[in-house]
Amino acid sequence: MNTLAALFRTVGAPLSIETIALDAPKPTELTVRVAAVGLCRTDLHVMRGERRVAMSPMVLGHEAAGVVESVGPAVQGIAPGDHVVLTFIPGCGVCRWCAKGLHHLCAEGPRITQGPQLDGTCRRKDAHGKDVGAFCMIGGFAERTVVDQASAIVVDKDIPLDLAALVACGVPAGVGAARHRAKVKAGDSVLVVGCGGDGMNVVQGARLCGATTIIAADINPDKLDLARDFGATHCVDSRGDVLTRDVLHLTEGIGVNHAFVCIDPATTLLPAFRATQKAGNVVVTAITPDTVKSIDVPPLELFATQKAIMGAVYGFMSPRLQIPELLRLYRSGDLKLRELITKTYSLSDINQGYEDLEAGKNLRGVVTFD
Ligand code: CXF
Ligand code: ZN
């Protein structure tokens, strides 16, 4: 069948809206009619060439939810009509990490920027007959996609699909970083540097964990205003020395229990590290451009202060096991989802959505389909 899709073709160019050919699903795959897909900053990093992918053209988009249209004969537990959230790391189910329930560490994870499906072949072709890849084995910037069952999680049908899409990336990345990586406890103090799609969810994750001091840091005052609605108790400018100074001032000179680096680790990690108290945690949720090969942290300072610097992909949550848990928190009123969406776009307006993200106008832009 044919489907309309937004393709990454060239670094620095807008996404190209094209009709492409989409093959039928292989035995372990399913066809999904995409209902909603979030405009995450990671896709923007790819468009700008800051995060290299292995092939082009490629359908970007990795924060998607939709309705299953057809399934291959070997698919288990997923049927046409089911609502699914697509996960940007597949859970192969058989590697040592998946066997331990740590699907966010799946051995197949490093292949998600390659382009082909989980089985190594492509399902999409452009009008010239050239193979088209699918970012994160999803390719969500399209009316329809074909994914392996390892990338799909069935969710309850009462959850609106635009909100279901959000728990595919930004929400678990942020909420999970607070709950499952840093393991924020009641009464803890938290710093969140960068209150975008990930950071705003760290703010609400810290609130869910009972943190009593939640310091939001950003350069955009609009994001800071919003952060208060999500649970921030204090707001500061996120630039370098000012950041460290202000956070120390708010924490009796000792720093926070947990700092979260949710934007541009190359410039924010060290100030955040220095705003963290001894034996505290510094959690990196954001990606760094491929050109940045290292970030300086004075080793003696690391040793002497006994802080932990840790990474968190998918918020250190198993998407397979814990996305349904996030949706239960939404249903109980404890997790804000609707409030994360600034604006919705049609697929043909997707480049406007990314311009708005770059201009700092959007917390989350979402492409929706009729
Ligand atoms: C990213 C993480 C790095 C690889 C591509 C997907 N996740 C979410 O934005
Ligand atoms: Zn993302």
Short mmCIF file of all heavy atoms in Angstrom, two decimals, residues 248-276:
data_model
loop_
_atom_site.label_atom_id
_atom_site.label_comp_id
_atom_site.label_asym_id
_atom_site.label_seq_id
_atom_site.Cartn_x
_atom_site.Cartn_y
_atom_site.Cartn_z
N LEU A 248 22.73 26.66 44.85
CA LEU A 248 23.38 26.56 46.17
C LEU A 248 22.69 27.49 47.16
O LEU A 248 22.45 27.14 48.32
CB LEU A 248 24.87 26.87 46.06
CG LEU A 248 25.69 25.82 45.29
CD1 LEU A 248 27.14 26.26 45.15
CD2 LEU A 248 25.63 24.45 45.97
N HIS A 249 22.33 28.67 46.67
CA HIS A 249 21.64 29.64 47.52
C HIS A 249 20.31 29.08 48.04
O HIS A 249 19.93 29.31 49.20
CB HIS A 249 21.42 30.93 46.71
CG HIS A 249 20.74 32.01 47.46
ND1 HIS A 249 21.35 32.72 48.47
CD2 HIS A 249 19.47 32.47 47.38
CE1 HIS A 249 20.48 33.59 48.97
NE2 HIS A 249 19.34 33.46 48.32
N LEU A 250 19.61 28.35 47.19
CA LEU A 250 18.29 27.82 47.57
C LEU A 250 18.38 26.57 48.44
O LEU A 250 17.37 26.08 48.94
CB LEU A 250 17.49 27.48 46.30
CG LEU A 250 16.98 28.67 45.48
CD1 LEU A 250 16.45 28.19 44.12
CD2 LEU A 250 15.88 29.41 46.23
N THR A 251 19.59 26.02 48.58
CA THR A 251 19.73 24.74 49.29
C THR A 251 20.76 24.83 50.42
O THR A 251 21.53 23.89 50.64
CB THR A 251 20.14 23.62 48.29
OG1 THR A 251 21.29 24.05 47.57
CG2 THR A 251 19.02 23.29 47.32
N GLU A 252 20.74 25.93 51.11
CA GLU A 252 21.62 26.14 52.28
C GLU A 252 23.09 25.90 51.97
O GLU A 252 23.85 25.39 52.80
CB GLU A 252 21.17 25.26 53.45
CG GLU A 252 19.77 25.60 53.92
CD GLU A 252 19.16 24.53 54.83
OE1 GLU A 252 19.76 23.45 54.98
OE2 GLU A 252 18.08 24.79 55.36
N GLY A 253 23.44 26.16 50.71
CA GLY A 253 24.85 26.05 50.32
C GLY A 253 25.33 24.65 50.02
O GLY A 253 26.50 24.47 49.64
N ILE A 254 24.47 23.63 50.15
CA ILE A 254 24.99 22.26 49.94
C ILE A 254 24.61 21.66 48.59
O ILE A 254 25.21 20.69 48.15
CB ILE A 254 24.54 21.30 51.06
CG1 ILE A 254 23.01 21.17 51.12
CG2 ILE A 254 25.11 21.72 52.41
CD1 ILE A 254 22.56 20.02 52.01
N GLY A 255 23.59 22.19 47.93
CA GLY A 255 23.16 21.63 46.65
C GLY A 255 22.01 20.65 46.81
O GLY A 255 21.62 20.30 47.94
N VAL A 256 21.48 20.21 45.69
CA VAL A 256 20.30 19.32 45.69
C VAL A 256 20.71 17.85 45.85
O VAL A 256 21.86 17.48 45.59
CB VAL A 256 19.51 19.46 44.36
CG1 VAL A 256 18.82 20.81 44.28
CG2 VAL A 256 20.43 19.25 43.14
N ASN A 257 19.75 17.03 46.24
CA ASN A 257 20.00 15.58 46.28
C ASN A 257 20.19 15.01 44.87
O ASN A 257 20.99 14.09 44.67
CB ASN A 257 18.83 14.83 46.93
CG ASN A 257 18.61 15.19 48.38
OD1 ASN A 257 17.63 15.84 48.73
ND2 ASN A 257 19.52 14.79 49.24
N HIS A 258 19.40 15.54 43.93
CA HIS A 258 19.42 14.98 42.57
C HIS A 258 19.35 16.10 41.54
O HIS A 258 18.46 16.95 41.62
CB HIS A 258 18.20 14.08 42.32
CG HIS A 258 17.88 13.14 43.43
ND1 HIS A 258 18.48 11.91 43.57
CD2 HIS A 258 17.03 13.27 44.48
CE1 HIS A 258 17.99 11.30 44.65
NE2 HIS A 258 17.11 12.11 45.21
N ALA A 259 20.26 16.10 40.58
CA ALA A 259 20.18 17.05 39.47
C ALA A 259 19.93 16.26 38.18
O ALA A 259 20.49 15.17 37.99
CB ALA A 259 21.48 17.83 39.35
N PHE A 260 19.09 16.81 37.31
CA PHE A 260 18.76 16.15 36.05
C PHE A 260 19.18 17.06 34.90
O PHE A 260 18.78 18.23 34.83
CB PHE A 260 17.26 15.86 35.99
CG PHE A 260 16.82 14.88 37.04
CD1 PHE A 260 16.49 15.33 38.32
CD2 PHE A 260 16.78 13.53 36.79
CE1 PHE A 260 16.13 14.43 39.31
CE2 PHE A 260 16.42 12.62 37.77
CZ PHE A 260 16.08 13.07 39.04
N VAL A 261 19.99 16.52 34.02
CA VAL A 261 20.51 17.27 32.89
C VAL A 261 19.67 16.91 31.67
O VAL A 261 19.84 15.85 31.07
CB VAL A 261 22.00 16.91 32.68
CG1 VAL A 261 22.55 17.58 31.44
CG2 VAL A 261 22.80 17.30 33.91
N CYS A 262 18.71 17.79 31.35
CA CYS A 262 17.71 17.45 30.33
C CYS A 262 17.89 18.26 29.05
O CYS A 262 17.04 18.18 28.15
CB CYS A 262 16.31 17.66 30.89
SG CYS A 262 16.03 16.72 32.39
N ILE A 263 18.93 19.06 28.97
CA ILE A 263 19.22 19.78 27.73
C ILE A 263 20.72 20.01 27.66
O ILE A 263 21.36 20.29 28.67
CB ILE A 263 18.44 21.14 27.68
CG1 ILE A 263 18.52 21.80 26.30
CG2 ILE A 263 18.93 22.12 28.74
CD1 ILE A 263 17.55 21.29 25.30
N ASP A 264 21.28 19.84 26.49
CA ASP A 264 22.66 20.20 26.19
C ASP A 264 23.67 19.84 27.29
O ASP A 264 24.30 20.74 27.89
CB ASP A 264 22.71 21.71 25.91
CG ASP A 264 24.05 22.12 25.33
OD1 ASP A 264 24.79 21.24 24.86
OD2 ASP A 264 24.36 23.33 25.36
N PRO A 265 23.88 18.55 27.53
CA PRO A 265 24.81 18.15 28.58
C PRO A 265 26.19 18.79 28.45
O PRO A 265 26.87 19.03 29.46
CB PRO A 265 24.90 16.63 28.41
CG PRO A 265 23.60 16.26 27.78
CD PRO A 265 23.25 17.40 26.87
N ALA A 266 26.59 19.10 27.21
CA ALA A 266 27.95 19.65 27.03
C ALA A 266 28.14 20.94 27.84
O ALA A 266 29.23 21.20 28.36
CB ALA A 266 28.21 19.91 25.55
N THR A 267 27.09 21.74 27.95
CA THR A 267 27.25 22.99 28.71
C THR A 267 26.60 22.94 30.09
O THR A 267 26.94 23.73 30.96
CB THR A 267 26.64 24.20 27.95
OG1 THR A 267 25.24 23.98 27.77
CG2 THR A 267 27.30 24.39 26.61
N THR A 268 25.66 22.04 30.31
CA THR A 268 24.92 22.09 31.59
C THR A 268 25.37 21.04 32.61
O THR A 268 25.03 21.16 33.78
CB THR A 268 23.40 21.96 31.37
OG1 THR A 268 23.11 20.66 30.85
CG2 THR A 268 22.87 23.01 30.40
N LEU A 269 26.11 20.02 32.17
CA LEU A 269 26.42 18.95 33.12
C LEU A 269 27.29 19.43 34.28
O LEU A 269 26.98 19.16 35.45
CB LEU A 269 27.07 17.75 32.42
CG LEU A 269 27.21 16.52 33.33
CD1 LEU A 269 26.87 15.25 32.57
CD2 LEU A 269 28.59 16.37 33.94
N LEU A 270 28.35 20.16 33.98
CA LEU A 270 29.25 20.57 35.07
C LEU A 270 28.57 21.54 36.05
O LEU A 270 28.66 21.34 37.27
CB LEU A 270 30.55 21.14 34.51
CG LEU A 270 31.66 21.40 35.54
CD1 LEU A 270 31.99 20.13 36.34
CD2 LEU A 270 32.91 21.94 34.86
N PRO A 271 27.86 22.57 35.55
CA PRO A 271 27.13 23.42 36.52
C PRO A 271 26.11 22.63 37.35
O PRO A 271 25.96 22.89 38.54
CB PRO A 271 26.43 24.45 35.63
CG PRO A 271 27.17 24.46 34.35
CD PRO A 271 27.76 23.09 34.18
N ALA A 272 25.44 21.66 36.73
CA ALA A 272 24.47 20.85 37.48
C ALA A 272 25.19 19.97 38.50
O ALA A 272 24.74 19.81 39.64
CB ALA A 272 23.66 19.99 36.51
N PHE A 273 26.32 19.41 38.09
CA PHE A 273 27.13 18.58 39.00
C PHE A 273 27.53 19.39 40.22
O PHE A 273 27.47 18.92 41.36
CB PHE A 273 28.36 18.10 38.21
CG PHE A 273 29.34 17.29 39.00
CD1 PHE A 273 29.15 15.93 39.18
CD2 PHE A 273 30.47 17.89 39.55
CE1 PHE A 273 30.07 15.17 39.90
CE2 PHE A 273 31.38 17.14 40.27
CZ PHE A 273 31.19 15.78 40.45
N ARG A 274 27.91 20.63 39.98
CA ARG A 274 28.37 21.48 41.09
C ARG A 274 27.22 22.02 41.93
O ARG A 274 27.45 22.53 43.03
CB ARG A 274 29.22 22.63 40.53
CG ARG A 274 30.55 22.09 40.05
CD ARG A 274 31.51 23.14 39.61
NE ARG A 274 32.84 22.56 39.52
CZ ARG A 274 33.77 22.96 38.68
NH1 ARG A 274 33.55 23.97 37.85
NH2 ARG A 274 34.96 22.38 38.68
N ALA A 275 26.01 21.90 41.42
CA ALA A 275 24.83 22.31 42.20
C ALA A 275 24.24 21.12 42.96
O ALA A 275 23.18 21.23 43.56
CB ALA A 275 23.79 22.91 41.26
N THR A 276 24.93 19.98 42.90
CA THR A 276 24.46 18.75 43.55
C THR A 276 25.25 18.52 44.84
O THR A 276 26.46 18.74 44.87
CB THR A 276 24.66 17.56 42.59
OG1 THR A 276 23.97 17.84 41.38
CG2 THR A 276 24.15 16.26 43.18
#
